[in-house]
């Protein structure tokens, strides 16, 4: 053990393997993607975000709840004065707080940085974005498609949500709208049904089915079924022809060897 960490004795000459082993031993610090994506919405600068990441790392890796400015300066490109300024700004913005923690091992109260304000603000931003997405989806649903009535379009959306087991996103609504404007709504539902039967719950697979129908100018379920029947007939004919050819080859081989 060195500075509270596990140190492994490595074989000489294998620096790549040594790096890989140490990479695993040092562990990881999980940073929520939502935080990385939305931190600018919280009025957090890049410098302040680096400090938050290092504070999280120090809590997780070194159990250091209240690192000094010099400790943080040592693992960032900021000097001690700059670190202290950024910490103060994070506290003023109510993104970071200082609170009391109880250490069971030492049976004492310790001061430490608290990320609860950060998570509260992040949840508010997330909720605001989700509300806007829902409102946009509703707005898209209320628009009348060119070839499909609003009621029919709503039925298509509900069918997709039931089969996928989740609400469709605004981008997916636009994709369904495009299909519904190009084809009869019964064909969109038929494409969904066929994808589900194949266990393909994704829009890319459904789009490939619809593209195949459009390429062959199939406009009704009856035309599609007739096309499928002809395709199966052609394929079975090819398979039969292949079997006949195999029999001929076998007969010729028998005659040649006899």
């Amino acid at each position: 053990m060195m500075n509270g960490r596990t140190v492994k004795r490595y074989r000489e000459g294998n620096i790549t393997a040594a790096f890989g082993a140490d990479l695993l031993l040092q562990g990881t610090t999980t940073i929520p993607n939502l935080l990385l994506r939305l931190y600018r919405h919280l009025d957090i600068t890049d410098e302040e975000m680096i400090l938050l990441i290092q504070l999280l790392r120090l809590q997780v890796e070194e159990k250091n709840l209240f690192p000094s400015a010099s400790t943080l300066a040592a693992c960032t490109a900021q000097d001690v004065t700059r670190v202290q300024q950024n910490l103060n700004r994070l506290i003023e913005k109510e993104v970071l707080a200082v609170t009391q923690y109880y250490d069971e091992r030492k049976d004492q109260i310790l001061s430490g940085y608290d990320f609860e304000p950060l998570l509260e603000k992040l949840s508010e931003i997330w909720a605001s974005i989700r509300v806007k997405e829902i409102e946009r989806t509703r707005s898209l649903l209320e628009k009348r498609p060119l070839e499909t009535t609003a009621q029919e379009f709503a039925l298509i959306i509900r069918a997709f949500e039931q089969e996928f087991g989740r609400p469709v996103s605004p981008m997916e609504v636009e994709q369904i709208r495009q299909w519904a404007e190009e084809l009869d709504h019964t064909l969109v539902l038929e494409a969904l049904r066929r994808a589900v039967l194949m266990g393909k719950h994704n829009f890319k697979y459904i789009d490939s089915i619809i593209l195949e129908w459009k390429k062959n100018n199939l406009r009704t379920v009856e035309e599609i079924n007739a096309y499928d029947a002809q395709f199966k007939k052609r394929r079975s004919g090819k398979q039969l022809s292949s079997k006949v050819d195999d029999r001929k080859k076998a007969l010729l081989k028998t005659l040649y060897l006899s």
Side-chain angles (χ1 to χ4, degrees):
M1 299 286 290
M2 180 178 291
N3 294 330
R5 296 181 181 177
T6 303
V7 178
K8 179 180 180 296
R9 186 183 297 277
Y10 301 109
R11 291 178 297 172
E12 294 182 3
N14 195 347
I15 187 64
T16 302
F19 167 75
D22 204 38
L23 189 66
L24 294 175
L25 282 174
Q26 297 299 328
T28 58
T29 299
T30 301
I31 309 297
N33 289 331
L34 204 61
L35 174 59
L36 294 175
R37 191 166 72 245
L38 301 178
Y39 75 90
R40 299 303 294 270
H41 292 266
L42 300 173
D43 191 29
I44 297 174
T45 67
D46 291 343
E47 277 192 353
E48 292 165 356
M49 186 61 194
I50 289 296
L51 276 184
L52 287 172
I53 292 173
Q54 290 295 345
L55 286 170
L56 284 168
R57 181 190 67 81
L58 289 166
Q59 279 202 8
V60 172
E61 183 185 12
E62 301 183 11
K63 311 303 178 189
N64 188 345
L65 302 176
F66 200 52
S68 64
S70 58
T71 298
L72 289 166
C75 50
T76 66
Q78 308 169 35
D79 59 29
V80 173
T81 302
R82 189 67 175 174
V83 166
Q84 195 59 61
Q85 289 173 347
N86 284 324
L87 286 173
N88 291 339
R89 275 198 290 267
L90 287 170
I91 293 173
E92 289 171 3
K93 295 174 186 178
E94 296 183 347
V95 171
L96 195 64
V98 178
T99 190
Q100 302 295 312
Y101 292 91
Y102 173 65
D103 189 333
E104 292 183 351
R105 294 173 301 174
K106 299 179 180 179
D107 190 26
Q108 60 181 358
I109 303 296
L110 302 174
S111 294
Y113 286 109
D114 186 2
F115 295 96
E116 186 175 335
L118 169 64
L119 299 179
E120 286 180 356
K121 286 184 175 293
L122 185 62
S123 68
E124 291 172 1
I125 295 295
W126 170 83
S128 174
I129 292 173
R130 288 293 294 149
V131 166
K132 289 178 182 178
E133 288 180 352
I134 292 170
E135 289 176 349
R136 185 175 168 222
T137 300
R138 287 175 178 169
S139 175
L140 290 170
L141 290 174
E142 289 170 358
K143 292 179 182 178
R144 183 183 177 90
L146 297 178
E147 302 294 335
T148 307
T149 66
Q151 185 178 5
E152 289 171 342
F153 189 61
L155 288 173
I156 296 173
I157 296 297
R158 274 200 293 272
F160 271 82
E161 291 180 337
Q162 287 174 357
E163 295 295 347
F164 281 62
R166 61 171 176 79
V168 293
S169 69
M171 187 177 297
E172 290 169 339
V173 170
E174 281 296 339
Q175 176 66 83
I176 296 171
R177 182 181 299 283
Q178 181 181 338
W179 293 334
E181 290 176 351
E182 295 172 351
L183 299 172
D184 186 83
H185 78 280
T186 57
L187 294 192
V188 179
L189 293 175
E190 178 65 14
L192 172 63
R193 185 185 71 83
R194 293 183 177 218
V196 171
L197 287 175
M198 294 298 294
K200 305 288 187 180
H201 289 74
N202 65 75
F203 277 68
K204 187 176 181 180
Y205 187 81
I206 296 171
D207 192 50
S208 68
I209 294 175
I210 290 176
L211 285 175
E212 179 69 18
W213 293 345
K214 288 165 60 179
K215 185 174 69 175
N216 291 280
N217 197 30
L218 304 174
R219 312 299 283 179
T220 66
V221 175
E222 290 74 18
E223 289 177 355
I224 292 168
N225 290 334
Y227 174 83
D228 289 344
Q230 290 177 1
F231 177 79
K232 290 178 182 177
K233 187 176 180 180
R234 288 196 302 269
R235 186 171 62 180
S236 61
K238 289 180 181 179
Q239 291 174 345
L240 180 60
S241 175
S242 177
K243 289 179 181 178
V244 171
D245 290 341
D246 290 341
R247 291 197 196 99
K248 287 181 179 179
K249 289 178 182 178
L251 178 60
L252 289 173
K253 185 177 180 181
T254 302
L255 292 172
Y256 178 78
L257 294 175
S258 59

